[in-house]
Structures are given as C-alpha cells and as structure tokens.
Amino acid sequence: VASSATTIVTVCDANLRHLECQLDGLTTPIVRIYNGLGPQQPPAPLAARSRHLVVGVGRLVEKKGFDLLLDAIHLAAPRIPDLRCVLVGDGEERAALETEARRLDIEDRVIFTGSLPQDQVSRWLREAHVMAAPCKVGDDGNQDALPTVLLEALGAGLPTVTTSVAGIPEIVEHGREGVIVEADASCVADALCALMRDDELWAAMAAAGPPKLARSFD
C-alpha cells in the first residue's frame, strides 16, 4: 500500500475492500492499481516440458504454504510414481521444510534450489508441468496480496494450483488459468493429479495465461 496526501493506492481489490473496512469514515480515496510485468519469453508447450514436474517459487516462509505442498507431494506420489517438485527460493522455513521432506520420505523427489536469478526462475516456469502456490494466512495474520510469481506463471503459460488468499482469485480464475482449492494438502494433491492427467484441460489453461497477463497486468 502506498499513500499520499490525497490518495491511497493498493495492489488488489481484496486489499482495497479490507482498507475500506479498516478506514471506514476516512475521506481519502482508495484506488487499486495492479502490479504488472513487461514482455515475457514465449510459453513452452507441454511437449517441451518435464511431465509431472511441479514447481513452487517464493520465499520459504509460512504464508507461502510450502509445508502443504510437501504434504501434497507425499499424498500424490503413489498416484504419480515419477512425480517431482522443485522449490525455488530461500527463507527462514528452509531447514524445517528440508526436515519435513525427509520425514515424509520424499527427499528424493524434492529439490531445494535456493534463491535464483530471474532468468533461471523463468526457465523453471517453462520447464515445469504445473505450478503450486498453496498460499495461506499465517498464524500472525500475514498473507500474500498479489503474488508476482502467479503473474509470471500466466506469462509462461503455466497452469497453477493455488488458493483463494487475498488477491489470488484476481489473477487466477478457477478453471480458466488454474485451479483454486482450499489450503489443505489433500485438496492440493487431488488438484495436482487431476491437472497433470488432463492434457486437454492443461492446454486450455496454458493458452489462457498470456492473454490474461496482457489484458489485466501489463
């Protein structure tokens, strides 16, 4: 949120509604201006991607929900034997997540890359089969507003399994550019399996991403 003497600017309608409630009676106008991206590299078709590779990108902190993703990989693995996951990013939860991957006996399926430069992040977005962004509200109330990585996924033609936290439904329309589920590991696992098994649905969602980016997040 940015502010001046005359206007408060926020990045998504979810934040705008929250501020209107919190600042009820304030005469300063509140406006929403989405974050945007510049030109993106062309999307990769499914044939050029690594089938059954899931990518998660972001800081390894509670609100990103990567603990749910690890549980989902564990639940989905018996249904998709060659399932793999790459987690791109670093943060205070990394050691705990690595420990959890070992506890779940999925350490051979999960790669922790640490922080990467943008060109390598872009490469993973065009390599993966599906993105997982199971964002949630942290115990302290912290949550994402408008995750930039979901905008990047639109540009990469990468369908996403995500949640309805804050402004996420403003980026990903359920059933169009991705799938929105509850912040629950079994729901994430079911959605990942369903999307990776349905090439026609995957192709439709992938094709919907770049036009959505150009239309709403230029």
Side-chain angles (χ1 to χ4, degrees):
V1 177
S3 65
S4 69
T6 57
T7 307
I8 296 172
V9 179
T10 188
V11 299
C12 63
D13 289 331
N15 275 8
L16 187 150
R17 292 189 294 270
H18 175 73
L19 288 170
E20 285 178 335
C21 290
Q22 295 297 312
L23 304 177
D24 186 30
L26 184 71
T27 57
T28 303
I30 306 172
V31 299
R32 184 268 293 151
I33 301 177
Y34 283 136
N35 292 334
L37 297 181
Q40 300 293 294
Q41 297 178 27
L46 183 55
R49 294 175 177 271
S50 293
R51 188 173 284 271
H52 302 156
L53 175 64
V54 178
V55 66
V57 180
R59 288 187 301 124
L60 305 186
V61 295
E62 182 188 15
K63 68 180 181 180
K64 296 296 185 180
F66 290 136
D67 57 330
L68 298 178
L69 177 54
L70 293 182
D71 286 341
I73 295 296
H74 171 68
L75 293 171
R79 288 176 272 176
I80 301 182
D82 62 342
L83 181 65
R84 293 102 62 221
C85 178
V86 172
L87 286 180
V88 179
D90 214 335
E92 62 195 42
E93 296 280 316
R94 179 168 179 170
L97 291 170
E98 290 176 332
T99 298
E100 181 67 2
R102 290 191 293 272
R103 187 188 72 80
L104 294 170
D105 196 25
I106 57 170
E107 68 269 27
D108 59 335
R109 297 180 182 271
V110 181
I111 297 173
F112 291 85
T113 70
S115 298
L116 295 176
Q118 187 57 40
D119 63 327
Q120 293 185 41
V121 175
S122 179
R123 180 177 66 80
W124 281 116
L125 296 181
R126 286 159 178 80
E127 172 78 12
H129 194 165
V130 178
M131 168 175 278
C135 301
K136 61 183 182 179
V137 179
D139 290 340
D140 60 356
N142 196 7
Q143 59 184 296
D144 270 316
L146 195 81
T148 299
V149 69
L150 293 183
L151 305 182
E152 294 171 339
L154 292 179
L158 180 61
T160 303
V161 173
T162 188
T163 59
S164 60
V165 169
I168 288 176
E170 299 170 48
I171 305 172
V172 177
E173 180 182 346
H174 176 66
R176 185 163 179 82
E177 301 90 16
V179 181
I180 293 179
V181 298
E182 294 181 23
D184 172 83
S186 63
C187 293
V188 174
D190 289 345
L192 289 173
C193 291
L195 186 50
M196 287 189 287
R197 288 172 169 169
D198 190 334
D199 290 356
E200 184 176 343
L201 177 61
W202 186 96
M205 289 182 175
K212 177 71 166 289
L213 179 68
R215 185 171 64 250
S216 300
F217 304 101
D218 185 353

